[in-house]
Amino acid sequence: MQSFSNSSTTYFPLEMSGVTTETTQDRALAALKNHKEAEKRRRERINSHLNRLRSLLPCNSKADKASLLATVVQRLRELKQQAVEITELETLPSETDEIRVLSCDYSSDGTSIFKASLCCEDRSDLLPELIQILNSLHLKTLRAEMATLGGRIRNVLVVAADKDHGIESLHLLQSALKSLLERSDASDRSKRKRAYDHQNNGPLMS
Amino acid sequence: MQSFSNSSTTYFPLEMSGVTTETTQDRALAALKNHKEAEKRRRERINSHLNRLRSLLPCNSKADKASLLATVVQRLRELKQQAVEITELETLPSETDEIRVLSCDYSSDGTSIFKASLCCEDRSDLLPELIQILNSLHLKTLRAEMATLGGRIRNVLVVAADKDHGIESLHLLQSALKSLLERSDASDRSKRKRAYDHQNNGPLMS
DNA sequence: GGTGACACGTGACTC
DNA sequence: TGAGTCACGTGTCAC
């Protein structure tokens, strides 16, 4: 590194022109050399950052320079969107039933992380069934929030799936939650209301 | 743009060698042109993604190509760390068992509001029992948070009691939670572990 | 006039 | 062979 070889030792006389002295040629060559080296340093700097990006990305290592940047763009957009969704922690249940399951993929080790949101009428057997769904899908609960208000409930779950069945688990979870919500619709409304008012017994207890 | 000047019109005879015919030179020039244009497209692609990154980044637009990438790296690290912190918020279960029940009295209409926190080893029948306790004490759940980590669980409950039995309900809730935790201690550890590992059946379901 | 950043064209290499 | 990517050296513009 920094091989500052003295360029003045490699001079040679100029016969074509009298205006270009040895020193001016010397300086020109030195300038060119500096330029060359500076450009090389610049390239190295850029590529170093590019490689750091590679290591940060989940899908990492050998990829096109352009497609690497493309995935970085996409990733940045995803993370920004996630930050918005998470900070607006709307834990209060809304009036309309809804299910949302979205992939988060926070972790770089490849394990898929989902955020699932469920909002519906409250009923006492909802939570056990939810737990069974998570268990049967081998989903690990990283974080769970529940809020009830006026007979309605909102659950927000952050779950981790095996890295092998990431997308599969996502769809399974989605359909399971959907059937859970439909089961709620199918159940007798008056029965659910009674269960909500007189909550001190029911099918929950073993 | 796309000035496809026909290179065959600009040929010139070669006197230095007989082996290079016009067609071979033609093809070489065409190849060189293709190469040149392909390289240009590649540069444009990279720069386009770079500009998108610029627009995604919080503050400035005009920045060095290298420092732009540096800030992208930093931003990506920040967002990743932020995501980790969010999933592990303040609700994480601690190593030691604990019960806290404290009066909050948020509401102005006189109804007593408690905040109860419970941290212990996780087991699948914990949540139903917790629900039963709340039901039998006629406590209305305003807000519930649950977090599990490494086989341990933390529950944070915000509950409302009848205005008549405020302090009474508080003490009842405290003792009920205490007995719940002691039941957890008394239960066979291996049984609890088995229930935790094979979670897809059990006493939860009706 | 030196420094830094960029786009360009080209040789080398891979699939 | 051809299409693709990369590193390199150079010309050029701006401060």
Side-chain angles (χ1 to χ4, degrees):
Chain A
M1 299 306 167
Q2 57 251 52
S3 60
F4 291 156
S5 63
N6 193 354
S7 62
S8 63
T9 61
T10 62
Y11 76 93
F12 50 91
L14 285 180
E15 54 279 333
M16 53 184 65
S17 169
V19 301
T20 56
T21 68
E22 296 178 8
T23 60
T24 57
Q25 245 226 359
D26 228 12
R27 294 213 295 196
L29 283 178
L32 200 63
K33 181 172 182 173
N34 280 338
H35 184 36
K36 195 200 303 186
E37 291 173 348
E39 180 63 14
K40 182 170 181 61
R41 283 197 301 271
R42 174 178 166 271
R43 282 194 302 264
E44 288 174 347
R45 195 145 31 103
I46 292 178
N47 285 334
S48 129
H49 288 141
L50 244 34
N51 287 330
R52 276 177 214 171
L53 281 180
R54 254 182 254 272
S55 65
L56 278 178
L57 248 47
C59 63
N60 60 359
S61 86
K62 200 49 186 172
D64 205 359
K65 209 183 272 192
S67 42
L68 164 69
L69 289 177
T71 58
V72 168
V73 168
Q74 185 180 353
R75 189 104 182 106
L76 221 47
R77 287 200 172 122
E78 288 174 4
L79 287 176
K80 180 177 285 190
Q81 179 61 20
Q82 283 173 26
V84 169
E85 287 176 353
I86 285 180
T87 51
E88 54 174 42
L89 39 88
E90 184 193 1
T91 52
L92 280 187
S94 58
E95 284 301 312
T96 59
D97 292 357
E98 78 173 44
I99 293 175
R100 282 187 310 144
V101 181
L102 51 93
S103 177
C104 292
D105 273 338
Y106 300 136
S107 59
S108 56
D109 61 348
T111 61
S112 300
I113 296 187
F114 310 143
K115 185 175 181 183
S117 175
L118 170 72
C119 183
C120 62
E121 289 284 319
D122 194 11
R123 53 194 168 107
S124 50
D125 56 339
L126 191 68
L127 222 37
E129 293 185 6
L130 196 55
I131 294 175
Q132 188 191 27
I133 288 175
L134 297 177
N135 291 345
S136 63
L137 292 180
H138 295 93
L139 294 174
K140 185 178 179 185
T141 303
L142 299 178
R143 181 175 171 83
E145 286 190 18
M146 181 188 80
T148 67
L149 182 65
R152 295 189 59 81
I153 186 171
R154 154 156 276 150
N155 276 306
V156 179
L157 302 169
V158 178
V159 297
D162 302 337
K163 73 171 62 178
D164 320 339
H165 324 92
I167 314 169
E168 182 190 355
S169 295
L170 189 145
H171 293 125
L172 288 176
L173 177 60
Q174 192 148 26
S175 61
L177 291 181
K178 186 173 259 180
S179 79
L180 176 62
L181 198 144
E182 286 166 353
R183 238 177 299 159
S184 172
D185 291 340
S187 73
D188 185 13
R189 186 174 190 83
S190 63
K191 171 191 164 197
R192 188 176 64 234
K193 200 79 182 91
R194 190 175 62 247
Y196 184 78
D197 291 335
H198 309 76
Q199 296 160 317
N200 33 356
N201 54 7
L204 276 183
M205 302 307 115
S206 59
Chain B
M1 299 307 169
Q2 55 249 54
S3 60
F4 290 153
S5 62
N6 192 354
S7 62
S8 63
T9 61
T10 62
Y11 76 94
F12 49 91
L14 287 180
E15 54 279 331
M16 52 185 62
S17 167
V19 302
T20 56
T21 68
E22 294 180 6
T23 61
T24 57
Q25 247 227 359
D26 230 10
R27 294 212 296 192
L29 284 178
L32 199 65
K33 181 174 182 173
N34 280 338
H35 184 37
K36 194 199 304 186
E37 291 172 348
E39 179 65 13
K40 182 169 181 61
R41 283 198 302 270
R42 174 178 166 271
R43 281 195 303 264
E44 287 175 349
R45 195 142 34 100
I46 293 177
N47 285 333
S48 125
H49 288 142
L50 244 35
N51 286 330
R52 274 175 221 179
L53 281 179
R54 257 181 251 272
S55 65
L56 278 178
L57 246 45
C59 47
N60 55 358
S61 62
K62 194 51 188 173
D64 204 0
K65 211 182 271 192
S67 44
L68 164 68
L69 288 178
T71 57
V72 168
V73 169
Q74 185 181 353
R75 185 97 184 114
L76 223 45
R77 288 197 172 124
E78 287 175 5
L79 287 176
K80 182 177 285 190
Q81 177 62 22
Q82 181 180 331
V84 169
E85 286 174 354
I86 283 179
T87 54
E88 306 180 345
L89 222 49
E90 72 284 357
T91 53
L92 276 188
S94 59
E95 285 299 312
T96 59
D97 292 357
E98 78 174 45
I99 293 175
R100 283 185 307 143
V101 180
L102 51 92
S103 178
C104 292
D105 272 338
Y106 297 137
S107 61
S108 55
D109 61 348
T111 60
S112 300
I113 295 187
F114 310 141
K115 186 173 183 183
S117 174
L118 170 70
C119 183
C120 64
E121 290 282 319
D122 193 10
R123 55 197 169 102
S124 52
D125 57 340
L126 191 68
L127 223 39
E129 293 186 5
L130 196 55
I131 294 174
Q132 189 190 29
I133 288 175
L134 297 176
N135 291 345
S136 63
L137 292 180
H138 295 93
L139 295 173
K140 184 177 180 184
T141 303
L142 299 179
R143 180 174 171 83
E145 286 190 14
M146 180 188 80
T148 67
L149 181 66
R152 293 188 63 79
I153 186 171
R154 157 158 273 151
N155 276 304
V156 179
L157 303 168
V158 178
V159 296
D162 302 338
K163 73 169 64 175
D164 321 340
H165 325 93
I167 315 168
E168 181 191 355
S169 294
L170 189 146
H171 293 123
L172 287 176
L173 176 59
Q174 192 148 30
S175 61
L177 291 181
K178 187 175 259 181
S179 78
L180 174 62
L181 199 144
E182 287 166 354
R183 234 178 302 159
S184 171
D185 292 340
S187 72
D188 185 14
R189 188 175 190 83
S190 64
K191 172 193 165 196
R192 187 177 63 234
K193 201 78 181 91
R194 189 174 64 248
Y196 186 76
D197 291 333
H198 309 74
Q199 294 157 318
N200 33 355
N201 53 8
L204 277 182
M205 301 307 111
S206 62

